[in-house]
Amino acid sequence: MKQNQYKLYRTQGLMLALLFVLSACHQEKSNVPHGTTNKKNEVQVSVVHPVLDQPYFSLELPGELKAYEEVVLYPKVKGFVKKIMVDRGAKVTKGQLLVVLEAPEIIQQYMSAKSDEQKFQEDYIYSRQSYERLKKAALKSGAVAEIELDRAKSKLKKDSAAFISVKAKTNASAQLQQYLKITAPFDGVVTEKNVSAGALVGDGSQVALLTIAQTQKLRLTVAIPEKHAQSIYNGIKVSFTVKNYPGKTFSSNFSRKSSVLDQKSRAVVTEFDVQNQSGILGGGEYAQVKLNMRRPSSTLWLPASSIVTAQSGVFVLKVENGLAESVPVSLGIRKGELQEVFGDINPQDHVVKVGSEELTPKTKLLIK
């Protein structure tokens, strides 16, 4: 029986020794950072070279469709709405009469100005004829005193100036009459009608008569974030969808952009003209826009596995004279397994393919 106990204790001791050895091996293996360590304490790593590339990439952003032109019509003069020819939703053409106002005092002012103009015109004609007769008579020596000729010439100039002044007032009064008729400034559709016949408008009243929008052509406006603002180029094409027509895709081309970054949104407002002769789009819709963009010049790309994100920041590890060196980087766009990076690296550098926080700076590295 003692012999059996001895064998049992011996077996347990061997098992404990084996477990200790396995634990030590596991501990040693866990201390090796993403590579194998040789006798010189060098960590073997795989490296890659940053690649210069200028690929196209897609970006999805919200946008808004707006009328290509839109105007709110206010009356220039005070008056009553005599007749309004259109209603909300009506299509109008450039120059079409929309609203007629009635202002009797303006008509009276014009008639008074016209009467004054006629009177001063007759005075001017009489003065001119008198001066011409005296001037002709003065050709005979002693027939007309020189002072009489000068007096006639002075009266002619005075009457001429008075006639020109009154004629200008008549033209101004006539122009006020033109303001009583309001016409469409361009082809479009009436989107708002705020008054009816008989309403008093103008001269301090802030009520607009009509709002007209041009919808045969629309503006698709998209705010491009600051980090992508330089990726907009002439000829860029976009596709977009709207909730009104699920499953239908529309397209457009780049038209213009603001050159200054908006300080509130930190974005560049970009416009794409959308042809809408069919009228399928009304304007005012929100759109989901897909842009096919490209950097203006080539940038550096690395495998996403090379990027290390830690509490201290985002960095990559490059091999410099056999030692690990941490290089802070900022990230751009990502395409598949490749990540765009910006930092103090170049295409000739050896960057660790699989980065890790365990590879601290000055760690001895051996390139596989």
Side-chain angles (χ1 to χ4, degrees):
M1 183 175 181
K2 290 182 178 180
Q3 187 176 0
N4 291 337
Q5 290 179 348
Y6 172 76
K7 289 181 179 181
L8 179 60
Y9 294 150
R10 184 179 178 183
T11 302
Q12 291 177 344
L14 290 173
M15 290 179 67
L16 289 173
L18 180 60
L19 287 173
F20 177 78
V21 172
L22 291 174
S23 177
C25 292
H26 177 74
Q27 182 68 27
E28 182 179 356
K29 184 177 179 180
S30 64
N31 289 333
V32 178
H34 289 265
T36 57
T37 305
N38 58 21
K39 294 180 180 180
K40 297 180 180 180
N41 292 324
E42 294 175 330
V43 180
Q44 293 185 356
V45 293
S46 297
V47 296
V48 294
H49 292 291
V51 177
L52 271 175
D53 198 3
Q54 193 182 4
Y56 289 95
F57 63 94
S58 296
L59 186 66
E60 290 195 12
L61 294 169
E64 184 178 1
L65 284 166
K66 299 179 180 179
Y68 191 76
E69 298 288 351
E70 187 173 21
V71 63
V72 181
L73 298 178
Y74 288 90
K76 176 71 174 178
V77 296
K78 185 177 180 179
F80 293 95
V81 177
K82 183 178 181 180
K83 194 172 184 180
I84 187 161
M85 315 293 191
V86 293
D87 209 331
R88 187 189 303 268
K91 292 183 179 180
V92 298
T93 57
K94 183 177 180 179
Q96 179 180 337
L97 182 62
L98 304 177
V99 182
V100 177
L101 301 181
E102 189 175 31
E105 64 274 18
I106 292 180
I107 298 176
Q108 293 299 322
Q109 288 175 8
Y110 173 73
M111 293 177 63
S112 175
K114 194 68 178 176
S115 177
D116 290 342
E117 179 185 349
Q118 186 175 1
K119 174 181 177 302
F120 280 92
Q121 184 180 16
E122 291 176 355
D123 291 345
Y124 165 67
I125 293 173
Y126 177 78
S127 297
R128 186 180 64 185
Q129 291 174 346
S130 297
Y131 174 70
E132 288 176 350
R133 283 196 297 267
L134 288 174
K135 186 178 179 181
K136 186 177 181 179
L139 294 176
K140 295 181 180 181
S141 179
V144 178
E146 186 175 351
I147 191 171
E148 292 295 331
L149 185 63
D150 290 342
R151 185 181 291 113
K153 184 176 181 180
S154 175
K155 188 175 187 306
L156 173 62
K157 290 182 177 180
K158 179 181 178 182
D159 289 345
S160 175
F163 172 60
I164 292 174
S165 175
V166 171
K167 189 176 182 179
K169 292 180 180 179
T170 303
N171 291 337
S173 181
Q175 185 61 51
L176 287 177
Q177 276 195 303
Q178 295 297 320
Y179 291 144
L180 296 177
K181 295 182 179 181
I182 298 171
T183 58
F186 49 75
D187 296 349
V189 61
V190 178
T191 59
E192 287 188 24
K193 172 179 173 287
N194 301 314
V195 296
S196 300
L200 178 64
V201 295
D203 194 18
S205 173
Q206 299 300 316
V207 178
L209 301 176
L210 302 167
T211 299
I212 299 176
Q214 188 182 84
T215 57
Q216 289 186 342
K217 191 176 181 181
L218 303 175
R219 299 174 188 262
L220 174 63
T221 59
V222 183
I224 309 295
E226 181 179 2
K227 64 184 294 186
H228 297 300
Q230 297 303 317
S231 299
I232 307 168
Y233 58 91
N234 289 331
I236 183 174
K237 296 182 179 181
V238 300
S239 59
F240 64 93
T241 57
V242 294
K243 291 183 178 180
N244 293 0
Y245 297 95
K248 186 175 179 60
T249 301
F250 302 87
S251 61
S252 180
N253 296 325
F254 169 78
S255 300
R256 66 197 66 84
K257 68 174 181 177
S258 59
S259 301
V260 180
L261 194 70
D262 184 79
Q263 297 300 309
K264 293 182 179 179
S265 63
R266 307 303 302 175
V268 172
V269 178
T270 307
E271 290 188 354
F272 302 86
D273 291 347
V274 180
Q275 299 300 326
N276 188 43
Q277 281 81 3
S278 64
I280 188 172
L281 296 169
E285 298 98 333
Y286 286 106
Q288 191 63 28
V289 186
K290 185 176 182 180
L291 303 96
N292 192 27
M293 309 183 76
R294 193 183 190 188
R295 296 289 190 196
S297 59
S298 298
T299 53
L300 291 174
W301 296 76
L302 283 169
S305 59
S306 298
I307 314 300
V308 181
T309 303
Q311 291 183 350
S312 57
V314 180
F315 61 89
V316 297
L317 294 161
K318 70 176 183 179
V319 182
E320 191 72 28
N321 298 324
L323 300 175
E325 181 179 335
S326 175
V327 181
V329 294
S330 56
L331 305 181
I333 59 175
R334 180 167 177 171
K335 282 183 68 71
E337 296 300 321
L338 293 179
Q339 175 69 56
E340 184 184 31
V341 294
F342 301 92
D344 187 19
I345 55 175
N346 58 68
Q348 290 73 39
D349 288 334
H350 293 86
V351 178
V352 177
K353 186 176 182 180
V354 181
S356 172
E357 290 185 73
E358 297 175 5
L359 291 174
T360 57
K362 305 304 180 184
T363 298
K364 293 182 180 180
L365 301 179
L366 179 63
I367 299 175
K368 289 184 180 180

